Amino acid sequence: MNVNQHTPMASPYGQPQPGYSQPGYVPLDGGYPGPYAPYNGPASPYQPGAPPQGISGPARGPPTTGPLPVSAPHQYNQYSHSQGDMQNGPPPMTQAQPRPPVSQPYNPGAMNMSGPHPTYPQHYGPPPTMQQVSNQMSGMQITSGPPTPAGPGYAPPHSSQPPVSTAYSAPPPPSYTQAPPPVSSAPTQPPPPSGPAASQQYYGSPPPPSQQPFNSSLPPTSQQQFTSSSVPPPPSQQTLPPSSYSGPAPPPGQAPAPPVSQPQQSFPPSQPPPTSQPAFTPGPPPTAPGSFTPQAPPPSSQSGSFPPPGPPPTSAPSCQYPGPLPPQQQPPPSQPFPYHSGPPPPRAQMPPTSMAQSNHLPPGPQGPPGPPGPLQQPPSQPGMQTGYPPQQNGAFGQVRGPQPGYAGPYPGQPNYGAPAPAPAPAPPAQKRLDPDAIPSPQASDMPAVQKSRHRIDPDAIPSPIQVIEDDKAKSTEPFTTGVRGQAPPLVTTNFQVKDQGNASPRFVRCTAYNMPCTADMAKQSQVPLAAVVKPLAMLPPDETPPYLVDHGEGGPIRCNRCKAYMCPYMQFIEGGRRFQCGFCSCVTEVPPHYFQHLDHTGKRVDCYDRPELSLGSYEFLATVDYCKNNKLPQPPAFIFLIDVSYNAVKSGMVNIVCQELKTLLDYLPRENPEMDSAVRVGFVTYNKVLHFYNVKSSLAQPQMLVVSDVSDMFVPLLDGFLVNVNESRLVIESLLDQIPEMFADTRETETVFGPVIQAGLEALKAADCAGKLFVFHTSLPIAEAPGKLKNREDKKLIGTDKEKSLFQPQVGFYNTLAKECVAQGCCVDLFLFPNQYVDVATLGVVPVSTGGSVYKYTYFQAQLDQERFLNDLRRDVQKLVGFDAVMRVRTSTGIRATDFFGSFFMSNTTDVELAGLDCDKAITVEFKHDDKLSEETGALMQCAVLYTSCSGQRRLRIHNMAVNCCSQLADLYRNCETDTIINFFSKYAFRGVLNNPTKAVRDTLVNQCAQILACYRKNCASPSSAGQLILPECMKLLPVYLNCVLKSDVLLPGADVSLDDRAYLRQLISCMDVTETHVFFYPRLLPLMKLESGSLPVAVRDSEERLSKGGVYLLETGLHLFLWVGASVQQELLLNIFGTPSFGQIDSSMTSLPVLDNPFSQRLREIIDSFRAQRSRYMKLMVVKQEDRAELIFRHFLVEDKSASGGASYVDFLCHMHKEIRQLLS
Amino acid sequence: MATFPEYIAQNEERDGVRFSWNVWPSSRLEATRMVVPVAALFTPLRERTDLPPIQYEPVLCSRATCRAVLNPLCQVDYRAKLWACNFCYQRNQFPPSYAGISEVNQPAELLPQFSTIEYVVQRGPQMPLVFLYVVDTCMEDEDLQALKESLQMSLSLLPPTALVGLITFGRMVQVHELGCEGISKSYVFRGTKDLNAKQLQEMLGLTKPAAAQGRGPQAAPQPLSNRFLQPVQKIDMNLTDLLGELQRDPWPVTQGKRPLRSLGVAMSIAVGLLECTFPNTGARIMTFIGGPATQGPGMVVGDELKTPIRSWHDIEKDNAKFMKKATKHYESLAIRASTNGHIIDIYACALDQTGLLEMKCCSNHTGGYMVMADSFNTSLFKQTFQRVFTKDVQGSFKMAFAATLEVKTSREIKVSGAIGPCVSLSAKGPCVSENEIGTGGTCQWKICGLDPATTLALYFEVVNQHNAPIPQGGRGAIQFVTQYQHSSGQRRIRVTTTARNWADAQTQIQSIAASFDQEAAAILMARLAVYRAETEEGPDVLRWLDRQLIRLFMFHLRRSPFLQVFNNSPDESSYYRHQFNRQDLTQALIMIQPVLYAYSFNGPPEPVLLDSSSILPDRILLMDTFFQILIYHGETVAQWRKAGYQDMAEYENFRHLLQAPVDDAQELLHTRFPMPRYIDTEHGGSQARFLLSKVNPSQTHNNMYAWGQESGAPILTDDVSLQVFMDHLKKLAVSSAA
């Protein structure tokens, strides 16, 4: 059965279809997997299938889905595929050429069927060419059949097949092979109806139609099968794999197989037929980039070629291929490698599949071998790698196979040598580490060759993943904030918070929860004392937002001297008539209306009734005394300023913004969901001049008011500019409809920028309110106007002392403007759509100083980037935001807030002024001693933010935080939070580059880090040999994280990083909270080989070594989202994720995964969605295929590896750090 | 030969010319002694229904410095086909097209009855008429509504090809783009910042490269229109809607403040817009203002209501702090507009002053209209405005555009200057006198806008030396060549050639004296006086005037608002002077000495003396001061009317009596431009003051008993009466004669 079940093959097709997805596409793919796996016989069926797919796919695909021609085709392919199979049999031979015609006929059919989709032709055009070509190219030899898919081919199926591939003829009793297809089609048909919702996007209605025609065209026999097949689907759905099998059951042979091995496995069996290989090989070539082709053609030769590549672990291409190829090339059974090793040659393919399943167990790439595989494999692997055998555990060999290709620096072997299997081996490694000491290089294990360079086992050094996982395991209870000095769980851990008197870590995180009592200690340890405050952070639904407290007309009760607000740290004395301030110890009378008796413990009786006496975070209602000009504020306004110059229009931005605003305006922030938002809106467009719009509700049509005098900006109208959305809805919609039209044929390329912000500012001034400007801008403002800029991008300056000037604004104009904006409470959010240098460093000045955000969509293309932009925009418009805010941090005597980092403006040394403060903005506050602290009282801080809510209410949000104080350094090191320290360091460094050479900044960081660690070593660690690196438990990740900071684009730019990108990142990070900086600097890399609902797979370390080329990985940085697909990934995975069986057919330009009705796809999409929901910015999904050019970008985020721009690998850096520490110690 | 009055009338009828002297003294010395200079009131476009347009171009004297037009006074040698220029005596060949000329076959320009002749120039493109509305939006809704309606109405009066544009202003200035679909578009400018033409051009996107922007393709092929000025036929509906949607300036005006009105910048932008789009093309900027400019260049008063707008008193005390600057601003606008041949009309409707004093030059220099009324919601404004668009029998507007007037004189006489709605073109020539009177130093003037009534006063100087013989031919000739753009878009040239005899003052003083045209002289002197009053300090002018020959008219002139500022605001003075300076002789006479008709049962209506003695209880008086038409019911008549006798059948005659002056008044109202203020009052009525202030105060509270009770009404004034004036004058005449 396993071996040659053509029938099974067929059946799988059928089965999967019903089972996985209604659309039935999947099943088709399922069939393919076999073929896909280059290794086995299945190839034959596969090939035919593939080509047809390509051909027919494009034709049909285009029609259905405009945006994603690529994806569409695939799915179609499936359909066609099934057909193709059918047809292939028949026409294949004759019709290699006919394809084009074939495709056409399809279209018509599809067209008619799909009626609704008029767009077909358009899409059709472009994609077909691509795919067809490739398909043809690839498939020509093999798959003349596919073209045939056209109806005509049906009859002759058998005849055609033989020519295509011998394997085919032999294995498939024609009836079988055909049967499956029909089956598949049958199932597929059902799906269309049900599936439409999900699948429609891609398939749209077309699929069903297409199938029908097929059916009709199908031979009568097939139809019968259909009926039978159709029955199975239901069962299959329930239990995917098994059921599917059962479904296919019809083919008797299959039944047995399934039980033995999971469906995927079953597939492989079919493939095994060696005979098929020839056909097969061609298959892979097509998928593989050009480089592959050579290998593919001569399967026989490959064997020969293979060996050579094999030896050098470094050569990636060869390795990878070899992987797949070997199986095909039966020649050396031993070589087959780990994959094959386990199972018989035929299974060579299997392994990958099995790996997918098994992967879950082993986190790392190593996983692939999977439990079953690995066991068997070990032996075989050694053989495979020939050169490296000794060190490596066979099990992991495979993994490394790919690695060698990646990075020369790390020969795969050394790594392997280590306990490769991430899961299992890891634990032991940790044990070693726990003692805080990293065993110095484990040279001993390494093979001589490799030892030369690396002496440290990457798995032996502290693993972020391990730390994260440990913390997760540890934090099962809700975190209560009442205990002073207790460090909260890591940001990567999900936990619930109970506010018991200190602010939730979601609002405030500290670098140290045990502050040194004296300045000397602090200086000695060099541990930064800082807090990252995110005043308006959103809380999860199960935590209550801060209560609103109203102290009446007198305003909040405050300490007379230091003006700290009433909080749990206030000590009531004299029977409650007075209270002593916890910050300055001053005694203040309690106002009569606030008086309350004390209980026997000295607490107020109403302590727990009053949030301000019992909680860490709460809000006060501010009185008129807290308002500008002693006047209660007006509700804020949002002004949308849209660039309508040539570039903006051409990129589609204008159109998208206008369309989106029509709906978005209904979601303006409001406090009471029942009420309409009080926020008023206004619209401006601009190029070289500004166009204001009067959208007063009484107008039949909006009026455009052009202001060309940009040198002296003013607002041309008062009434009708800022309006209530509901009242002026019709006029606004009319306006938004007309804006794209009006400027559709503009030829104006110059833009202004300064006057645009001025205009918004003036409008807010005129309306006497605070507000937010949303500026959608495309290009460097070179038009004659205030704030005009010139292109100053000069890469030659990088690395010189003048580099810092590139981060500084080009002109002083924007600083002045920013100041004015802050004074008015005018927050600016900037959306950039540059095609070239726009000088983010300068344009970003105002947003950054006003608490706004900069969003950048370089080379914006409506189709690809629309989703990201719109999601960002939606979120940005809807998110909770406060205006005209002032933040003040008060501390208990002994320490003082001395420095602040973030997006804000400061006109003095204590008040942080934010024109706008949204729920994503964090401010990092650094503290310094100005006196001694006592262990008894600890250190208190109170962060008060005065702001205007989106409904126009003036409020104060108070966050209180108390930490312990210590006189022993060890206590300090025991209660640190590395993530927060990194947050501080990054902000500190990124601000430093404004004034210092980048290199100096990096050196400073390294030094400080070394000092911190050296201090620990010297004062806290138990004596040990100097050669040992000893890290404090809380900071054992400091080196790896710090290395990530040092390697960031800002501090160590690669050649391909533009100045704008660096400036953008620099500004962006300045207002990130700890969660964001953490994932930004150390991206989350999830293996996706096996997904379970309810929990995420355990992440793997950001290193190429951890990637298995048989796997699929999701990497998330908070800004980017990559889906990395290994070159030899299992077909089943591909089918589940992409709906295509072939690696080569994955469209790497897709920005969202196809909606497939299988649990894997669903779960994966769920995961992606949940990731996106966690981040303040929408992450565009990039599909990166191994060996693809885009992999360079992806690799940039594998931060444990050496970076292309010269950044050290984790291991190297750790060595370096060790050296520094030793120097300090000696 | 006819009598002089007939001769004068005939000349006026035919040529639109009236000279102060119809026989000229032959030497400079004698001419100077005559006090009243040789001068003429010339109405370039006097309506001549019998004047056929000549479809060819005039024949010019070939002498470069002369270029006089062939006229009936030229000597023609039909055989040699030569003609001698009667100004420079150059002999000229007739052009080939005149080959068939002979004594019996003369071209029109040689016929004596065609001393005034009009040529139509066929060359050049037909220029469209351009009307640019500049509309104030700082006014009460009622007023604005009325104004909007008037403007909408006016669209229907414009020829379909005429280009219109719209600029509105309040705190900001908006230049409206016309003909846009959907969204109405306008360019907004700050009201506090003046822009030069180039800046404006850039900001409006009217520069060449920017033409490509937006609706580029349309702009390029149609140089005659642009986004802001479009043919009426095309954007009629659009503009009507636009006007309909016009809202009162939305910027809040706090109590105690005037609205911020950016009139100065609005006008500047209007001028600039036309300057860069239609230079040297007839265009009319029609400015409608509801109050004074209160910000930016050209502001005449601050926005604080507590500081009133300047009065004559302030001006004398040098207390009008904005006046000089504003005047300068508007003067520069006037110069720019007139240079390009554009007219600026000002329609000021407000109860308070609006700054006409400062803006007067805009109208005065460009031949534009100045209309002053209390509100846009009055028939005075509405009808006056409507009358701007009156048409002649041919159906073309009675207005003409971008005219230049050139004066050519015989050698013995030179032109000293002109007074009227014109600006100098600074064309030097042999016939320019060194002695300037009015706008002098040139023989060419630009009159951007003129209508059939527009009359210029031209002053000449006899330069013949005392001992020189009377010039040959015995006649001095003057040729007026007026080139203008007809409202049909054609370019036309009207040539008027006139001649007067020379006389030796020593020997023929009688005939010279007999040729004196008292009315013309009065107006000419009055214009001169007004001109000097405008340009010099008040008292000096009166003194100068007093020293000049004075006649009856002068008494009234002295009391008239043209010279007397008492009781008149600076704006009113400017307005009156403006009208006086452009109206023809008849109207000007009325302005100086109002006409008073009496209606009674005693006989048909009769003109009566403009004297307090004419005010009798049983009379109805109809006074026409040009600016006002006033019907005054005597005490008795008023009582009758109150008693309702006119409604009783048996007193139908009384009803007729009441009706008669009303009918006459209507007639006057219908013909006059601008429409006068119509006042119907009675004895003791508050509005009767208009009458009482005009009549000669022969009876005052000082002397009312000297003349007897029965006749007339006493006037409460300290002004001297005509009698006293005359007495004094006689005394002066005797004493100063020596």
Side-chain angles (χ1 to χ4, degrees), chain A residues 6-24:
Chain A
H6 295 289
T7 55
M9 287 306 291
S11 67
Y13 288 69
Q15 297 167 350
Q17 295 166 354
Y20 289 160
S21 62
Q22 299 170 347

Tab-separated table of all heavy atoms in Angstrom, chain A residues 6-24:
chain	number	residue	atom	x	y	z
A	6	HIS	N	-1.383	4.103	-6.177
A	6	HIS	CA	-1.838	5.216	-7.022
A	6	HIS	C	-3.193	5.573	-6.566
A	6	HIS	O	-3.562	6.713	-6.430
A	6	HIS	CB	-1.873	4.800	-8.479
A	6	HIS	CG	-0.499	4.521	-8.949
A	6	HIS	ND1	0.414	5.531	-9.137
A	6	HIS	CD2	0.133	3.370	-9.219
A	6	HIS	CE1	1.558	4.997	-9.534
A	6	HIS	NE2	1.409	3.697	-9.592
A	7	THR	N	-3.851	4.516	-6.325
A	7	THR	CA	-5.201	4.785	-5.856
A	7	THR	C	-5.163	5.668	-4.639
A	7	THR	O	-5.858	6.646	-4.566
A	7	THR	CB	-5.905	3.477	-5.515
A	7	THR	OG1	-5.088	2.788	-4.586
A	7	THR	CG2	-6.092	2.665	-6.757
A	8	PRO	N	-4.346	5.279	-3.761
A	8	PRO	CA	-4.314	6.149	-2.583
A	8	PRO	C	-4.087	7.560	-3.027
A	8	PRO	O	-4.728	8.476	-2.548
A	8	PRO	CB	-3.130	5.632	-1.776
A	8	PRO	CG	-2.472	4.590	-2.606
A	8	PRO	CD	-3.413	4.194	-3.696
A	9	MET	N	-3.220	7.640	-3.896
A	9	MET	CA	-2.967	8.994	-4.362
A	9	MET	C	-4.277	9.654	-4.684
A	9	MET	O	-4.595	10.729	-4.222
A	9	MET	CB	-2.119	8.946	-5.624
A	9	MET	CG	-0.693	8.578	-5.352
A	9	MET	SD	0.008	9.672	-4.128
A	9	MET	CE	0.032	11.162	-5.117
A	10	ALA	N	-4.919	8.915	-5.482
A	10	ALA	CA	-6.180	9.497	-5.917
A	10	ALA	C	-7.051	9.795	-4.725
A	10	ALA	O	-7.568	10.874	-4.567
A	10	ALA	CB	-6.893	8.508	-6.828
A	11	SER	N	-7.113	8.792	-3.956
A	11	SER	CA	-8.007	8.982	-2.827
A	11	SER	C	-7.613	10.192	-2.010
A	11	SER	O	-8.445	11.002	-1.671
A	11	SER	CB	-8.006	7.735	-1.959
A	11	SER	OG	-6.715	7.599	-1.360
A	12	PRO	N	-6.374	10.271	-1.735
A	12	PRO	CA	-6.008	11.433	-0.937
A	12	PRO	C	-6.584	12.678	-1.561
A	12	PRO	O	-7.103	13.544	-0.885
A	12	PRO	CB	-4.486	11.454	-0.990
A	12	PRO	CG	-4.083	10.385	-1.938
A	12	PRO	CD	-5.252	9.469	-2.123
A	13	TYR	N	-6.486	12.710	-2.776
A	13	TYR	CA	-7.002	13.940	-3.393
A	13	TYR	C	-8.411	14.164	-2.930
A	13	TYR	O	-8.778	15.181	-2.410
A	13	TYR	CB	-7.035	13.816	-4.912
A	13	TYR	CG	-5.679	13.857	-5.497
A	13	TYR	CD1	-4.792	12.835	-5.299
A	13	TYR	CD2	-5.286	14.948	-6.253
A	13	TYR	CE1	-3.536	12.889	-5.831
A	13	TYR	CE2	-4.039	15.003	-6.790
A	13	TYR	CZ	-3.151	13.981	-6.593
A	13	TYR	OH	-1.921	14.046	-7.130
A	14	GLY	N	-9.087	13.084	-3.227
A	14	GLY	CA	-10.504	13.232	-2.916
A	14	GLY	C	-10.696	13.549	-1.455
A	14	GLY	O	-11.377	14.479	-1.094
A	15	GLN	N	-10.045	12.807	-0.672
A	15	GLN	CA	-10.269	12.961	0.756
A	15	GLN	C	-9.945	14.353	1.234
A	15	GLN	O	-10.763	15.022	1.838
A	15	GLN	CB	-9.402	11.964	1.513
A	15	GLN	CG	-9.777	10.544	1.193
A	15	GLN	CD	-8.730	9.600	1.693
A	15	GLN	OE1	-7.666	10.024	2.096
A	15	GLN	NE2	-9.046	8.341	1.671
A	16	PRO	N	-8.783	14.677	0.996
A	16	PRO	CA	-8.415	15.968	1.561
A	16	PRO	C	-9.429	17.005	1.171
A	16	PRO	O	-9.821	17.836	1.957
A	16	PRO	CB	-7.064	16.256	0.916
A	16	PRO	CG	-6.937	15.297	-0.215
A	16	PRO	CD	-7.816	14.135	0.113
A	17	GLN	N	-9.818	16.893	0.033
A	17	GLN	CA	-10.722	17.943	-0.420
A	17	GLN	C	-11.909	18.056	0.497
A	17	GLN	O	-12.180	19.119	1.032
A	17	GLN	CB	-11.196	17.633	-1.838
A	17	GLN	CG	-10.049	17.683	-2.803
A	17	GLN	CD	-10.408	17.076	-4.107
A	17	GLN	OE1	-11.500	16.514	-4.231
A	17	GLN	NE2	-9.532	17.157	-5.066
A	18	PRO	N	-12.542	16.988	0.613
A	18	PRO	CA	-13.714	17.094	1.460
A	18	PRO	C	-13.302	17.476	2.856
A	18	PRO	O	-13.823	18.385	3.444
A	18	PRO	CB	-14.311	15.699	1.416
A	18	PRO	CG	-13.194	14.798	0.969
A	18	PRO	CD	-12.287	15.621	0.152
A	19	GLY	N	-12.356	16.787	3.323
A	19	GLY	CA	-12.008	16.958	4.719
A	19	GLY	C	-11.490	18.341	5.009
A	19	GLY	O	-11.994	19.042	5.856
A	20	TYR	N	-10.514	18.723	4.317
A	20	TYR	CA	-9.852	19.962	4.687
A	20	TYR	C	-10.697	21.165	4.443
A	20	TYR	O	-11.009	21.949	5.306
A	20	TYR	CB	-8.568	20.109	3.884
A	20	TYR	CG	-7.549	19.133	4.330
A	20	TYR	CD1	-6.502	18.819	3.501
A	20	TYR	CD2	-7.629	18.539	5.558
A	20	TYR	CE1	-5.549	17.921	3.918
A	20	TYR	CE2	-6.688	17.649	5.966
A	20	TYR	CZ	-5.643	17.323	5.145
A	20	TYR	OH	-4.704	16.456	5.525
A	21	SER	N	-11.012	21.244	3.230
A	21	SER	CA	-11.709	22.479	2.937
A	21	SER	C	-12.844	22.179	2.002
A	21	SER	O	-12.709	21.413	1.073
A	21	SER	CB	-10.754	23.461	2.264
A	21	SER	OG	-10.329	22.893	1.051
A	22	GLN	N	-13.828	22.814	2.286
A	22	GLN	CA	-14.971	22.624	1.432
A	22	GLN	C	-14.624	22.905	-0.002
A	22	GLN	O	-15.018	22.214	-0.908
A	22	GLN	CB	-16.079	23.545	1.891
A	22	GLN	CG	-16.466	23.216	3.310
A	22	GLN	CD	-17.373	24.248	3.871
A	22	GLN	OE1	-17.508	25.318	3.288
A	22	GLN	NE2	-18.001	23.956	4.971
A	23	PRO	N	-13.938	23.957	-0.178
A	23	PRO	CA	-13.645	24.279	-1.561
A	23	PRO	C	-13.069	23.095	-2.295
A	23	PRO	O	-13.222	22.975	-3.501
A	23	PRO	CB	-12.633	25.408	-1.462
A	23	PRO	CG	-12.296	25.553	-0.017
A	23	PRO	CD	-13.338	24.860	0.767
A	24	GLY	N	-12.468	22.268	-1.534
A	24	GLY	CA	-11.966	21.091	-2.224
A	24	GLY	C	-10.638	21.341	-2.856
A	24	GLY	O	-9.974	20.441	-3.349
